[in-house]
């Protein structure tokens, strides 16, 4: 019985170690190593200079979305948590487009359509001091019209 418990703890620890890619080595780990450690990517996008970006959103519970940047040599460049205030500030209403947001923040947690406003809204569950939502509203032509962060009302109602 002790062996089973010990094995379960080792397996649990190994699973958690790869959650954020912290066990991967830039310049050495391959794309296959990244997916072995972090699980299958939810999305794959072309990046600058021949890079490939593999997306590992840990939504809704994790409130993070990791971008693993893979160089054209198939080696890991970095693993970055992208749901941050700094990245939100890089989104420019009237200038940024859906592809810009997808490249910066990754796949949205939820997409809502508002036909009367002629808007689509992408939501990302993020973590600040309190659980947050990053919301990006697009007009039908794919241009960002608003981008903001608010306290997550669903998380607040679960606590009350």
């Amino acid at each position: 019985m002790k062996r089973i418990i010990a094995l379960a703890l080792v397996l649990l620890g190994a699973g958690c170690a790869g959650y954020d890619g912290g066990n991967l080595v830039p310049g050495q780990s391959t794309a296959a190593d990244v997916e072995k450690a972090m699980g299958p990517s939810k999305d794959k996008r072309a990046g600058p200079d021949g890079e490939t970006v593999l997306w590992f959103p840990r939504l809704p519970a994790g409130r993070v979305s990791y971008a693993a940047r893979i160089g054209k040599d198939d080696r890991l460049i970095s693993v970055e948590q992208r749901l941050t205030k700094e990245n939100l500030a890089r989104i420019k209403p009237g200038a940024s487009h859906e592809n810009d947001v997808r490249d910066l923040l990754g796949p949205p947690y939820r997409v809502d359509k508002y036909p009367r406003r002629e808007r689509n809204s992408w939501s990302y569950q993020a973590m600040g001091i309190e659980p947050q939502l990053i919301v990006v509203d697009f007009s039908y032509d794919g241009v960002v019209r608003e981008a903001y962060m608010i306290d997550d009302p669903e998380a607040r109602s679960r606590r009350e």
Side-chain angles (χ1 to χ4, degrees):
M1 183 64 158
K2 288 182 182 180
R3 285 185 184 177
I4 292 172
I5 293 172
L7 179 61
L9 289 173
V10 167
L11 291 174
L12 180 64
C16 292
Y19 182 82
D20 64 356
N23 57 336
L24 299 166
V25 180
Q28 292 180 11
S29 300
T30 65
D33 295 334
V34 171
E35 290 201 287
K36 183 177 178 185
M38 297 182 73
S41 62
K42 169 130 183 175
D43 196 8
K44 181 187 289 191
R45 301 200 38 99
D49 302 321
E51 290 179 16
T52 300
V53 181
L54 303 177
W55 284 96
F56 300 91
R58 305 303 193 204
L59 306 171
R63 294 186 174 270
V64 293
S65 190
Y66 295 105
R69 295 176 41 228
I70 308 295
K72 56 184 167 185
D73 63 353
D74 195 46
R75 300 286 175 194
L76 177 67
I77 297 169
S78 67
V79 177
E80 305 161 355
Q81 200 296 98
R82 293 286 185 90
L83 299 182
T84 65
K85 288 182 181 180
E86 294 77 22
N87 282 339
L88 176 61
R90 295 174 60 192
I91 299 170
K92 303 298 180 203
S96 299
H97 293 78
E98 287 180 348
N99 276 333
D100 302 323
V101 174
R102 190 72 178 235
D103 289 341
L104 185 61
L105 300 180
Y109 169 65
R110 192 170 88 197
V111 175
D112 295 301
K113 299 182 184 294
Y114 298 100
R116 294 174 90 190
R117 292 183 56 222
E118 297 183 6
R119 297 281 193 269
N120 293 326
S121 182
W122 293 4
S123 299
Y124 299 84
Q125 290 183 314
M127 187 50 112
I129 295 171
E130 293 288 326
Q132 306 274 296
L133 278 180
I134 292 174
V135 180
V136 184
D137 291 337
F138 301 92
S139 51
Y140 283 168
D141 60 359
V143 176
V144 172
R145 296 303 167 190
E146 290 184 275
Y148 52 92
M149 183 179 275
I150 60 172
D151 289 341
D152 186 345
E154 290 179 15
R156 180 177 292 150
S157 67
R158 285 191 295 266
R159 289 191 313 261
E160 294 173 353

